[in-house]
């Protein structure tokens, strides 16, 4: 097998990207009855893992079990910088599996991508004994096949659940597991052994340490673990707890995963990875203008400068009827206080691509809508190029903002501009740029929306449109000014809608907005 194939097989085998057939013929009860009993004790929750290679923190992984109407959904995700042919590549793997409440497989989607490999496999169960698979490698045509199976189907990461929640785990216990590899489409029987028991100290909460500039564990819990290994028929080397959750995984002698707090697993890796990001090089390559810009550009109006804080007085309107509160804005009576978001607000809520629960929760902010053609092939292709292999929504949002700012020239928009029209013509006004940014962000998996309001210039305000992306909260992004996040001169009044410009214009025609105070960034003399 080639090194590329070994990498794919290693990730899939280690992290449960695939499905498995669980059979225990020694039991007097049927496998289905046994799984139904286990399923009654499976609770929703999420666990996070730091991925390490030879002691270096190289990635992040997660396992999430969610209850959805009439079913369970299990999402496994991994993103890591792994060596391929001697070169470190950003590699992502994701598995989204839906099962019945009795743990019977219904359907699944598996994806694996690196600089040298792209694969997507989908599957669904037809009846009781047939599995339909659709496998696509890179840009090649999809290959559809059907595989006959016996017994209930599970993904590999649910095998530990069955091991732990069936009979109590104990050293010396043996069991047999028939696995199905969606890459080779081969059934393989594993003989598993619980060969050791130990006590682990697992970090379950963390706090940021400014001196160390990283997240450190502040609370840990003692967890009893059981070492489950394959003594024949394949590779399986993991520690699991009494609830069947993974504690540690030894994927290869060099690659391991250890359970820890989310911030330690993801934020510390994200910070380290950001220093090595090639985002600026990608933007320079993709930018039509191919020119360097400052990270935050001022509008052309004289006297304007980036602001850390603004207090606005609004007379003639009930602010509770507008979208003026939330995120970095606070409303008190007839005033709006705006503060520029700091680094803490830019932390992503989840890595990219979003899993099933995130897509359900933020479906409105991820799907296409009038004037925002998220599913246009040209929009999708550009979003993929701008996203690359990055999993951090803040990094990708900044990259998309820079591309739109550099590539879309100033110009009068159509009467009803759309994101695709702006993309095609490469020119447009503030609302056109905002809509294009939102379309690209959504196509990259980032919840985004267009907003409208005013910007404070000197002691006056002017109408404007920009965008927001969901990170710790809704954070402003202005592809016209080239700001991420926007400074405090931006005061949001409306969210979305084809009549955004008209809404803002009608408001300003009947209300009066004064700038009461401004705070500028501190500068050393």
């Amino acid at each position: 097998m080639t090194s590329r194939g070994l990498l794919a097989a290693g990730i899939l085998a280690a992290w449960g990207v695939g499905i498995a057939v669980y059979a225990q013929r020694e039991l007097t009860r049927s496998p289905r009855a046994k799984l139904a009993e286990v399923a009654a004790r499976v609770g929703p929750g999420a666990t996070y893992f730091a991925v390490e290679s030879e002691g270096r923190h190289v990635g992040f992984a997660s396992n999430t079990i969610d209850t959805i109407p009439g079913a369970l959904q299990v999402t496994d995700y991994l993103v890591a910088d792994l060596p391929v042919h001697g070169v470190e590549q950003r590699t992502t793997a994701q598995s989204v599996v839906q099962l019945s409440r009795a743990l019977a497989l219904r359907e699944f989607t598996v994806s694996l991508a690196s600089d040298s490999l792209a694969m997507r496999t989908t599957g669904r169960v037809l009846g009781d004994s047939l599995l339909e698979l659709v496998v696509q490698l890179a840009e090649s045509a999809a290959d559809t096949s059907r595989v006959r199976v016996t017994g209930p189907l599970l993904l590999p990461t649910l095998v530990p659940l069955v091991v732990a929640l069936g009979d109590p785990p104990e050293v010396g216990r043996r069991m047999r597991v028939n696995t199905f590899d969606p890459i080779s489409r081969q059934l393989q029987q594993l003989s598993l052994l619980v060969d050791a028991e130990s006590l682990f100290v697992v970090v379950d909460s963390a706090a940021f340490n400014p001196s160390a500039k990283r997240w450190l564990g502040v609370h840990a819990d003692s967890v009893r673990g059981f070492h489950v290994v394959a003594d024949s028929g394949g590779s399986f080397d993991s520690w699991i707890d009494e609830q069947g959750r993974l504690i540690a995984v030894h994927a290869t002698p060099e690659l391991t995963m250890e359970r820890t707090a989310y911030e330690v697993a993801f934020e510390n890796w994200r910070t380290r990875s950001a220093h090595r990001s090639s985002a600026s090089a990608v933007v320079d390559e993709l930018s039509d203008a191919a020119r360097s810009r400052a990270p935050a550009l001022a509008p052309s109006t004289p006297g304007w400068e980036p602001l850390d804080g603004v207090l606005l007085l609004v007379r003639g309107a009930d602010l509770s009827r507008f979208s003026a509160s939330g995120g970095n804005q606070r409303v008190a009576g007839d005033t709006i206080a705006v503060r520029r978001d700091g680094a803490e607000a830019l932390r992503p809520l989840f890595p990219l691509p979003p899993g099933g629960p995130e897509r359900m929760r933020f479906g409105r902010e991820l799907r296409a809508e009038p004037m925002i053609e998220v599913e246009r092939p040209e929009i999708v292709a550009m979003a993929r190029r701008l996203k690359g292999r990055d999993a951090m929504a803040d990094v990708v949002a900044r990259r998309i903002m820079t591309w739109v700012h550099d590539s879309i020239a100033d110009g009068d928009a159509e009467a009803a501009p759309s994101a695709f029209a702006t993309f095609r013509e490469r020119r447009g006004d503030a609302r056109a740029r905002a809509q294009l940014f939102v379309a690209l962000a959504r196509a990259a998996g980032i919840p985004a929306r267009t907003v409208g309001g005013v910007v404070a210039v000197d002691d006056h305000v002017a109408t404007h449109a920009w965008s927001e992306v969901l990170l710790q909260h809704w954070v402003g992004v202005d592809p016209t000014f080239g700001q991420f996040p926007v400074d405090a001169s931006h005061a949001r009044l409306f969210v979305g809608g084809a009549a955004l410009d008209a809404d803002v214009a009608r408001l300003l025609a009947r209300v009066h907005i004064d700038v009461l105070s401004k705070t500028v960034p501190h500068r050393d003399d």
Side-chain angles (χ1 to χ4, degrees):
M1 183 181 291
T2 65
S3 58
R4 180 184 302 178
L6 287 172
L7 171 65
I11 292 174
L12 292 170
W15 190 228
V17 185
I19 58 174
V21 181
Y22 178 83
Q24 192 173 6
R25 300 182 181 180
E26 295 80 6
L27 297 175
T28 56
R29 287 168 293 174
S30 70
R32 294 187 188 279
K34 183 68 175 178
L35 288 179
E37 178 183 316
V38 171
R41 287 178 279 167
V42 175
T47 48
Y48 308 102
F49 303 84
V51 181
E52 296 187 351
S53 177
E54 299 180 331
R56 294 187 303 115
H57 192 172
V58 298
F60 163 83
S62 66
N63 168 258
T64 306
I65 299 178
D66 288 292
T67 56
I68 59 178
L72 294 174
Q73 181 164 285
V74 181
T75 303
D76 293 297
Y77 180 80
L78 178 145
V79 55
D81 298 313
L82 303 175
V84 181
H85 302 303
V87 179
E88 194 170 82
Q89 298 184 10
R90 176 66 51 83
T91 302
T92 60
Q94 185 179 46
S95 170
V96 181
V97 180
Q98 289 191 7
L99 308 108
S100 72
R101 290 302 178 94
L103 298 188
L105 178 70
R106 291 180 173 177
E107 59 185 48
F108 68 90
T109 300
V110 173
S111 60
L112 177 66
S114 69
D115 293 339
S116 58
L117 176 66
M119 183 209 74
R120 179 183 175 89
T121 301
T122 60
R124 62 191 181 104
V125 174
L126 305 175
D128 294 329
S129 60
L130 201 60
L131 177 66
E132 183 179 75
L133 294 174
V134 180
V135 180
Q136 184 166 15
L137 295 173
E139 301 300 326
S140 61
D143 180 17
T144 303
S145 62
R146 293 184 175 184
V147 179
R148 292 200 173 276
V149 296
T150 58
L153 300 180
L154 292 174
L155 75 165
T157 46
L158 282 185
V159 172
L161 283 174
V162 176
V163 171
L165 298 180
D167 296 327
E170 58 182 19
V171 175
R173 180 184 169 195
R174 293 180 181 274
M175 63 218 76
R176 293 185 183 277
V177 178
N178 293 328
T179 61
F180 178 84
D181 183 355
I183 304 300
S184 64
R185 308 177 206 180
Q186 296 292 320
L187 287 167
Q188 184 182 40
Q189 187 177 79
L190 297 179
S191 177
L192 299 179
L193 168 67
V194 181
D195 71 346
E197 177 182 345
S198 185
L199 197 65
F200 288 80
V201 178
V202 178
V203 173
D204 56 17
S205 63
F208 187 74
N209 185 306
S211 300
K213 295 182 179 180
R214 62 196 303 265
W215 290 81
L216 302 177
V218 295
H219 183 269
D221 192 17
S222 296
V223 178
R224 184 164 300 281
F226 300 87
H227 192 210
V228 182
V229 297
D231 59 1
S232 67
S235 61
F236 189 93
D237 188 347
S238 301
W239 286 88
I240 67 173
D241 64 19
E242 294 174 307
Q243 285 73 47
R245 301 280 186 164
L246 292 169
I247 300 174
V249 178
H250 300 281
T252 68
E254 298 80 19
L255 188 66
T256 62
M257 298 191 304
E258 294 188 1
R259 192 163 94 196
T260 187
Y262 168 83
E263 293 85 358
V264 175
F266 181 65
E267 292 297 337
N268 286 349
W269 171 73
R270 168 185 169 272
T271 301
R272 174 183 177 274
S273 179
H275 290 303
R276 306 174 59 189
S277 174
S278 58
S280 59
V282 174
V283 170
D284 287 344
E285 176 186 351
L286 295 177
S287 172
D288 290 347
R291 59 186 181 271
S292 175
R293 293 290 186 103
L297 301 184
S300 57
T301 306
W304 183 92
E305 61 180 332
L307 301 175
D308 278 350
V310 165
L311 186 64
L312 300 177
L313 173 64
V314 180
R315 291 176 291 178
D318 180 3
L319 287 176
S320 66
R321 302 179 61 183
F322 300 96
S323 302
S325 184
N328 66 331
Q329 298 187 187
R330 297 292 181 270
V331 172
D334 56 0
T335 63
I336 304 174
V338 188
R339 297 292 300 177
R340 190 173 195 177
D341 281 316
E344 184 69 15
L346 305 187
R347 294 190 298 111
L349 282 176
F350 50 84
L352 300 178
E358 289 80 19
R359 289 195 173 276
M360 291 179 63
R361 181 180 176 187
F362 306 114
R364 180 178 179 180
E365 293 83 11
L366 285 169
R367 64 173 178 251
E369 62 181 81
M371 307 299 177
I372 300 178
E373 305 97 324
V374 175
E375 298 172 353
R376 288 283 307 206
E378 298 88 343
I379 296 291
V380 172
M382 180 55 73
R384 287 176 177 172
R385 293 180 66 190
L386 290 167
K387 177 182 178 298
R389 306 296 181 196
D390 279 291
M392 288 81 75
D394 58 327
V395 173
V396 177
R398 185 184 298 275
R399 190 178 301 164
I400 294 173
M401 181 278 297
T402 305
W403 184 86
V404 174
H405 174 71
D406 284 353
S407 301
I408 306 304
D410 292 329
D412 294 333
E414 300 176 0
S418 72
F420 180 67
T422 304
F423 179 84
R424 183 185 59 228
E425 299 298 329
R426 292 294 199 272
R427 58 190 303 112
D429 59 10
R431 181 159 69 97
R433 289 189 179 98
Q435 290 182 157
L436 176 56
F437 172 88
V438 168
L440 291 167
R442 291 182 180 182
I446 306 172
R449 64 190 189 184
T450 55
V451 299
V454 296
V455 290
V457 182
D458 289 333
D459 295 327
H460 306 284
V461 296
T463 61
H464 191 48
W466 61 99
S467 314
E468 289 183 339
V469 295
L470 185 66
L471 298 172
Q472 287 298 300
H473 57 232
W474 286 105
V475 173
V477 184
D478 191 338
T480 299
F481 292 178
Q483 288 189 335
F484 175 76
V486 297
D487 78 313
S489 69
H490 295 64
R492 178 191 64 250
L493 297 172
F494 296 93
V495 172
L500 194 61
D501 291 344
D503 289 337
V504 176
R506 280 196 298 269
L507 175 68
L508 293 184
R510 58 187 175 85
V511 304
H512 187 76
I513 301 178
D514 291 318
V515 180
L516 296 182
S517 66
K518 297 188 295 184
T519 305
V520 299
H522 174 74
R523 294 180 176 87
D524 295 330
D525 294 331

